[in-house]
Every structure is written in structure tokens, then in C-alpha cells.
Amino acid sequence: MEFKDYYQILGVEPDAEAKDIKAAYRKLARKYHPDVNAEEGAEDKFKEVAEAYEVLKDSARRAEYDELRRYGRQTGGGFEPPPGWQSSQHFDFHGDPRAAAEFSDFFNSIFGGGGGPFRGGGARREAGLRGQDVEMELPVFLEETVTDTTRDVAYEVPAFQDGQVNYQRKHLKVKIPRGVADGERIRLKGQGAPGSGKAPAGDLYLHIRLVPHPLYDVEGHNLVLTLPLAPWEAALGARVTVPTLDGRINLTIPPGTPAGKKLRVKGKGLPGRGMTGDLLAVVKIVMPEQSGERVEKLWRELATAAPFDPRKGWSESA
């Protein structure tokens, strides 16, 4: 079955706000409405736009669609949902097949009445209790956020049998998407504890925790790196090698760079939705160890040749 990208249909970004989605829908609906557009295919386009808006205007349905869009995959046989995916959203067509026919097979498979290949059966289920959800933290290294990563996840789920609680150990290969953020939650439907009877299994929730890095601090999508410089490098300028998450780069230090100066390297921070943060190299002046009378003499000559008062501002303020 062909996947429908509802964001592309409306011409908006995946992180678009609700008001932007509504504005895009109204513009396209006016353009393709059968009453004003008699061109061939306009009515089909109008229905497609209406279907996209029907999903994206509702925050709960949009969240489920985003999950399906993010973790599903395209194969030679069409679109496949992620393992264990099952929609909790459901449109009630009140038994009217004409209402369901207004939407595509893709839409009806996810949200329509009567079940579909993604729903795992009809709307009626035999009595039973839904399985317990399982939540666990998943530590992720900063280096793993710059590209899609597959991780092996092992966990235990409670299973009830003959009045006893037994624990089953499960193993999954989980795709950690590029740009995943600290505190983000990934839901894997049907990968929690099994349900009783014909009731569905619970879900697995992975809470992303970015592992502290020995070199970088994280500020939003920006990375902050302390850059040690010798006094003469800061004074005269230099070309130094700086580590990033995807390799080393050469960074030019302008002459007269003061301590605390932030040197911004575009696009070398953490990736996010539709953007990538920057690397902020914060200059730290590092004094060399004293190594004898000659070095001390040179420092004294420098103090004489370039006199200045670093505390001048204090005197003026006083």
C-alpha cells in the first residue's frame, strides 16, 4: 500500500503549527473545490487535501500519524508500519460505506472502520485486559544522534498465566532516529506486556537520555566546547584543530581574541527537525608552566612593551 505524506500534500513542514496547517488547507481547498475548479483531477485533489487536513488538524491523530511516518518503511511491496503498530484512533462511519469511500485505502487502513492491515483485526475484540505498558530509559551518546542508529534493547515484561506472574525477556532492534533529543519519548506499540484473551499487548516507551560528553555541553541543539589557547595564540591569531561529533576541523583564531569569546561554527551542533545546531567554541587562555629565568624575562619585557590595566573598568566605575 502506498504511503501518503499528508504534510507534503498540504505543502507544510512536519513541525508546522496548527494555524499554518489550517491556512494551507483553506488555500488548497479553495483552489481545488469542484464548484470553482472544473479541471480534470481537481475533485480528487480536493479529497486528498481534505483527507490530509482531517488527520493533521487533530493533535492525537497527528501524533499517531507522525509516529507511523517516522518509524515505518518503504519496501518493494509498498509501505510497512513499524513492528507492533496499531492505531488507537478510530473514525466511526456509522455503517455508511460512502463516508469511508471519501478517504483513501491508506487512511481507512489506519483510522477507518472495519479494520485493516495496520489495525490487526476488526473493531470488536473478545473480552480481555490490555497488556501493561513498559517504560525504560535508553542512554544515547551524542555521536549517535548525528545519524540513524539501530540499538539492541533487552527488557522484561510481566505475563500472567494460571494466576501467576512470570516475566518474559524480550529483545528488539530499535531504530534511534537522527536528531533524537534528551527527554524525547519513543513509543513502540504492542511491544509491552501481552494482553489477556484477545486484548492487545501494551506499548514500550523508551525515554531518551543523552549521555554527558567529556568535551561538550549541550544548549538546545548547540554544542559548547571549551577551547584552550596559549596566550600568544590568542594575541597573534592561530589555526587550531577542533574536534566535532563527525570529525576534526581547522578553526581560525583571529588576532586579539579575548578569553570567553565564543567562536561559532555553523552546522556542527546537534541535528533537529529541519535544522542543525552550531558548535560554540569558548576561548580559555591557558598559561604555560614557568620554565626558568629566560621565560620570566620575556614576560617582563612583554609587560613593559604592552602596558595596559585589565582592571581599568573597576576604577572608572568606582
Side-chain angles (χ1 to χ4, degrees):
M1 181 172 297
E2 181 184 358
F3 177 81
K4 284 187 172 292
D5 191 329
Y6 291 136
Y7 292 105
Q8 188 177 50
I9 290 171
L10 291 182
V12 298
E13 295 297 324
D15 58 352
E17 296 183 2
K19 62 182 180 63
D20 297 323
I21 291 175
K22 186 176 183 178
Y25 163 70
R26 286 183 171 179
K27 178 180 178 181
L28 293 173
R30 284 194 298 266
K31 178 179 179 181
Y32 293 110
H33 197 284
D35 291 343
V36 297
N37 192 332
E39 294 182 5
E40 183 178 354
E43 184 175 355
D44 292 337
K45 187 66 177 178
F46 176 79
K47 290 180 179 180
E48 188 177 48
V49 168
E51 177 180 315
Y53 182 61
E54 193 68 38
V55 173
L56 299 184
K57 72 178 182 180
D58 181 273
S59 59
R61 287 196 294 271
R62 181 181 178 182
E64 290 214 351
Y65 172 75
D66 285 346
E67 183 174 296
L68 180 67
R69 182 176 181 270
R70 190 172 192 178
Y71 296 111
R73 63 191 182 97
Q74 296 285 350
T75 68
F79 176 77
E80 290 186 3
W85 196 91
Q86 180 178 327
S87 174
S88 63
Q89 302 294 319
H90 177 65
F91 278 72
D92 188 0
F93 296 118
H94 304 290
D96 185 357
R98 294 173 298 175
E102 292 297 316
F103 298 113
S104 67
D105 290 341
F106 174 76
F107 177 95
N108 290 327
S109 295
I110 305 173
F111 302 115
F118 298 170
R119 291 186 64 81
R124 293 174 177 253
R125 296 187 176 93
E126 295 182 21
L129 294 176
R130 180 181 179 276
Q132 179 179 329
D133 292 337
V134 176
E135 303 199 19
M136 61 179 291
E137 289 193 352
L138 183 65
V140 174
F141 293 102
L142 294 184
E143 290 83 355
E144 295 177 309
T145 68
V146 298
T147 184
D148 290 342
T149 305
T150 300
R151 293 280 298 274
D152 292 318
V153 176
Y155 59 103
E156 292 184 342
V157 297
F160 295 89
Q161 186 175 10
D162 300 328
Q164 300 291 325
V165 180
N166 298 312
Y167 284 88
Q168 299 176 353
R169 190 157 184 83
K170 299 186 69 173
H171 295 266
L172 291 178
K173 286 189 176 295
V174 178
K175 176 184 173 182
I176 308 300
R178 176 182 181 273
V180 70
D182 187 60
E184 186 171 340
R185 189 173 71 162
I186 297 176
R187 179 175 57 176
L188 299 175
K189 290 194 173 184
Q191 297 299 331
S196 63
K198 294 295 184 178
D203 302 331
L204 171 64
Y205 291 90
L206 299 178
H207 296 264
I208 301 300
R209 292 292 177 263
L210 294 183
V211 178
H213 196 279
L215 292 180
Y216 308 105
D217 291 323
V218 178
E219 292 183 357
H221 287 94
N222 294 332
L223 293 177
V224 181
L225 170 70
T226 298
L227 177 61
L229 293 180
W232 48 87
E233 290 178 321
L236 303 176
R239 187 118 171 124
V240 299
T241 301
V242 175
T244 72
L245 291 180
D246 57 358
R248 294 179 175 273
I249 61 171
N250 291 322
L251 181 62
T252 299
I253 309 300
T257 297
K261 174 74 173 179
K262 288 184 178 180
L263 303 174
R264 185 181 297 269
V265 183
K266 290 283 189 180
K268 287 300 182 179
L270 296 178
R273 294 183 179 180
M275 56 83 69
T276 302
D278 302 329
L279 174 65
L280 303 176
V282 182
V283 172
K284 177 183 178 181
I285 306 299
V286 180
M287 295 295 297
E289 295 182 1
Q290 296 292 335
S291 56
E293 293 182 1
R294 182 172 180 273
V295 172
E296 184 176 348
K297 179 181 177 182
L298 292 174
W299 281 116
R300 293 185 181 280
E301 291 178 357
L302 176 61
T304 303
F308 79 105
D309 183 0
R311 294 165 296 282
K312 182 180 178 181
W314 291 0
S315 301
E316 292 177 348
S317 299

